[in-house]
Amino acid sequence: MSTNVSRTMGQQAGRRSWAEPWKIKMVEPLRVVSRDQRTAALRGAGWNTFLLRSDDVYIDLLTDSGTNAMSDRQWAGLMLGDEAYAGGRNFYHLEETIQRRYGYRHVVPTHQGRGAEHLLSKSAIRPGQIVPGNMYFTTTRAHQELAGGTFTDVVIPEAHDAALHHPFKGNVDLAELAALIEREGAERIAYVSLAATVNMAGGQPVSMANVRALRELCRPHGIRIFLDATRLVENAFFIQEREEGYGDRSIADIVREFCGYTDGAWMSSKKDSLVNIGGWVAVDDEGLFEELRNLVVLYEGLHTYGGLAGRDMEAIAIGIEESLQDDYVRARIGQVRYLGALLTDWEIPIVQPVGGHAIFLDARAFYAHLPQDRFPAQTLAAELYLDSGIRAMERGIVSAGRDPVTGDHHRPNLELTRLTIPRRVYTQAHMDVVAESVKSVFDERTRAHGLRMVYEPRYLRFFQARFEPITG
Ligand SMILES: *Cc1c(COP(=O)(O)O)cnc(C)c1O
């Protein structure tokens, strides 16, 4: 069934829109780049949008990571930075905020999410152990493997089907996890790596019922649950909207309850927390905290700054509070859905239902004539840039990398091109321009022949791989 944007998006009588709960105080000019300049820039970047210079980009939807617009209060907070090497006051403000809002006892700051993943993987995985999780994430799995672990996907099968509607596509398949515990024994399981929302499935949420049942499943076996809380605020919105008993609960309340079913969490503050850099890992267990606090000194910095300036920690503490406001989250997801509704109306294949932070174009359906070895999602990102200067990102076979044992490509079911919406940055008119460009590339889809990879880096290849177009 096709929805109608004007109907869905609020022009009829009685409907109230999701307008942003802020106004604009400062603007940053955009650069419009000509078609010739875009062609040259894309060639220079080896058809990889990660290798473009941002000066050559018009609307930048590469990622929602660190691309947030900070508020006047956060900018004011930067001036309160205490840059003492040890014991700076901004750390204590951040620590208190995380304890109160996420509920964990011990906090270790890191320079960003992967810094936290590194410390936690090293501390909580013994070589040879298995780390089950609800779909892999690139940096998360890389650190789990570097620590000697093997990631095993236990997300529900619905998550792998782009077109299928399910309210909580990020849920853990509890029967599959139970079977894995039975088969391997609890001592072989390092911990459950739970992400909410699930980025690689399209920003899909986990239900409260699922995390509660997961806790019940893991408790008798003594298996710990660590949460990737990077987009938990957005996950909480879906619980509030879709799960019985949560309609009247605040986002902040839901976040706090969700964390209560887990033993600790790590965070890329560059997403939910409305800043440009930062992260943390927080746990309840005393012994694990001691290990994390030891390691942070080696890899990030002293345990009261973890690779961050004092002013950065102040901006994160303020950003956490702003991110938990119900009207903020509603407008954030409202904007993502606005773009999704435009594309759905034009029958362009996207991951359904629309998730928290991005629209994921289903490149497999979009370029039905291209085999996965021709990198359809990478091709689509390149074509979008050529069409309008919009920068998207591949989330398909290139991002999935290779199996460390066999050396073959991982071949994910989902072959997606992600249009990621930075928080508080672009307007509804920008979303219209993006939708129109996707439509024009869609109309020309049969003319695409795909790409071949001509340079492949060893780690996280999607960041730096280079390609050439296949002609005719
Ligand atoms: C971005 C991200 C990370 C890694 O965080 P960085 O700050 O980029 O290092 C981990 N998990 C998820 C779900 C993410 O989206």
Side-chain angles (χ1 to χ4, degrees):
M1 194 187 74
S2 157
T3 52
N4 176 291
V5 169
S6 53
R7 191 155 38 82
T8 320
M9 285 297 134
Q11 268 121 53
Q12 90 281 32
R15 168 99 173 30
R16 299 299 161 119
S17 195
W18 47 268
E20 292 83 356
W22 39 262
K23 57 183 177 174
I24 295 166
K25 182 177 294 203
M26 187 186 287
V27 299
E28 179 180 346
L30 293 177
R31 240 168 69 103
V32 181
V33 190
S34 73
R35 173 102 197 179
D36 283 351
Q37 287 172 312
R38 297 198 293 270
T39 306
L42 192 65
R43 186 176 303 121
W47 280 263
N48 185 347
T49 51
F50 273 103
L51 300 178
L52 288 167
R53 293 175 182 227
S54 71
D55 274 348
D56 293 327
V57 172
Y58 170 38
I59 297 175
D60 202 346
L61 307 184
L62 183 74
T63 173
D64 64 335
S65 179
T67 53
N68 300 307
M70 293 207 297
S71 68
D72 52 359
R73 275 138 224 262
Q74 287 175 293
W75 280 101
L78 294 188
M79 295 304 294
L80 303 176
D82 170 4
E83 307 306 343
Y85 188 90
R89 88 173 80 84
N90 314 107
F91 167 72
Y92 297 105
H93 183 198
L94 176 62
E95 180 188 47
E96 180 277 322
T97 306
I98 295 166
Q99 287 167 338
R100 182 165 40 80
R101 291 308 200 173
Y102 290 86
Y104 304 108
R105 217 168 298 149
H106 305 294
V107 177
V108 175
T110 60
H111 77 285
Q112 60 182 87
R114 72 199 67 180
E117 288 170 341
H118 177 207
L119 303 184
L120 184 66
S121 301
K122 251 187 144 62
S123 308
I125 300 171
R126 277 181 279 112
Q129 282 189 312
I130 297 167
V131 190
N134 54 342
M135 200 173 271
Y136 86 99
F137 183 74
T138 52
T139 57
T140 313
R141 187 179 63 192
H143 280 294
Q144 290 164 350
E145 286 174 353
L146 283 172
T150 303
F151 177 82
T152 304
D153 190 3
V154 292
V155 77
I156 57 171
E158 288 87 341
H160 295 286
D161 184 340
L164 191 85
H165 279 265
H166 183 291
F168 293 103
K169 258 179 159 175
N171 279 354
V172 173
D173 186 330
L174 297 164
E176 198 181 324
L177 178 60
L180 181 78
I181 298 169
E182 178 77 20
R183 199 166 58 242
E184 301 289 345
E187 44 317 313
R188 268 211 75 199
I189 303 206
Y191 55 85
V192 175
S193 177
L194 178 70
T197 62
V198 182
N199 192 347
M200 302 302 279
Q204 301 294 330
V206 176
S207 71
M208 196 71 89
N210 190 249
V211 69
R212 205 181 292 125
L214 178 65
R215 165 94 293 177
E216 290 314 308
L217 172 60
C218 291
R219 197 201 305 273
H221 298 287
I223 297 172
R224 296 170 296 182
I225 304 166
F226 293 120
L227 171 67
D228 184 341
T230 297
R231 293 192 177 79
L232 183 60
V233 166
E234 291 166 4
N235 195 100
F237 174 86
F238 293 111
I239 290 175
Q240 188 187 57
E241 180 183 70
R242 297 176 186 167
E243 197 161 351
E244 207 182 321
Y246 290 93
D248 295 330
R249 301 270 300 276
S250 69
I251 295 291
D253 217 25
I254 295 170
V255 162
R256 184 69 201 250
E257 180 183 336
F258 198 101
C259 291
Y261 300 118
T262 69
D263 299 281
W266 73 94
M267 181 79 184
S268 169
S269 307
K270 302 173 70 170
K271 321 302 181 24
D272 264 359
S273 300
L274 297 166
V275 292
N276 306 119
I277 195 72
W280 46 264
V281 50
V283 297
D284 286 330
D285 182 75
E286 204 74 50
L288 180 57
F289 170 57
E290 197 182 318
E291 181 64 14
L292 293 167
R293 206 163 60 151
N294 265 304
L295 287 177
V296 76
V297 179
L298 272 180
Y299 292 108
E300 303 276 315
L302 194 71
H303 58 276
T304 58
Y305 76 86
L308 295 166
R311 56 180 173 267
D312 296 327
M313 291 188 281
E314 189 63 24
I316 299 169
I318 299 168
I320 289 172
E321 294 294 347
E322 291 181 358
S323 77
L324 292 168
Q325 302 292 319
D326 285 50
D327 57 355
Y328 155 73
V329 192
R330 198 167 88 92
R332 156 69 174 156
I333 291 174
Q335 185 177 47
V336 177
R337 284 179 171 172
Y338 174 81
L339 177 58
L342 289 172
L343 298 175
T344 305
D345 274 0
W346 291 335
E347 295 179 4
I348 292 166
I350 64 172
V351 172
Q352 300 284 0
V354 169
H357 66 296
I359 298 300
F360 290 73
L361 302 170
D362 180 0
R364 206 183 259 285
F366 198 105
Y367 288 138
H369 61 293
L370 293 185
Q372 197 170 22
D373 285 41
R374 289 196 178 192
F375 310 112
Q378 189 81 32
T379 304
L380 180 47
E383 291 294 334
L384 273 172
Y385 175 73
L386 273 184
D387 180 73
S388 59
I390 289 166
R391 173 153 70 168
M393 176 204 292
E394 195 261 10
R395 279 301 184 218
I397 187 169
V398 183
S399 293
R402 290 182 186 274
D403 186 303
V405 179
T406 68
D408 291 341
H409 291 297
H410 285 296
R411 290 172 192 279
N413 275 337
L414 296 177
E415 178 70 24
L416 309 174
T417 305
R418 189 178 80 179
L419 300 165
T420 338
I421 315 300
R423 295 170 187 77
R424 304 195 291 206
V425 171
Y426 291 112
T427 67
Q428 190 156 321
H430 290 119
M431 296 302 112
D432 290 336
V433 170
V434 171
E436 288 155 15
S437 175
V438 174
K439 172 83 166 72
S440 111
V441 172
F442 188 61
D443 292 342
E444 298 286 311
R445 63 191 178 280
T446 56
R447 291 163 65 165
H449 300 293
L451 296 167
R452 96 170 58 82
M453 202 188 300
V454 295
Y455 166 67
E456 180 174 353
R458 191 137 70 101
Y459 299 111
L460 300 174
R461 62 183 184 179
F462 59 97
F463 283 129
Q464 291 155 341
R466 300 181 72 87
F467 301 84
E468 274 171 11
I470 296 170
T471 45

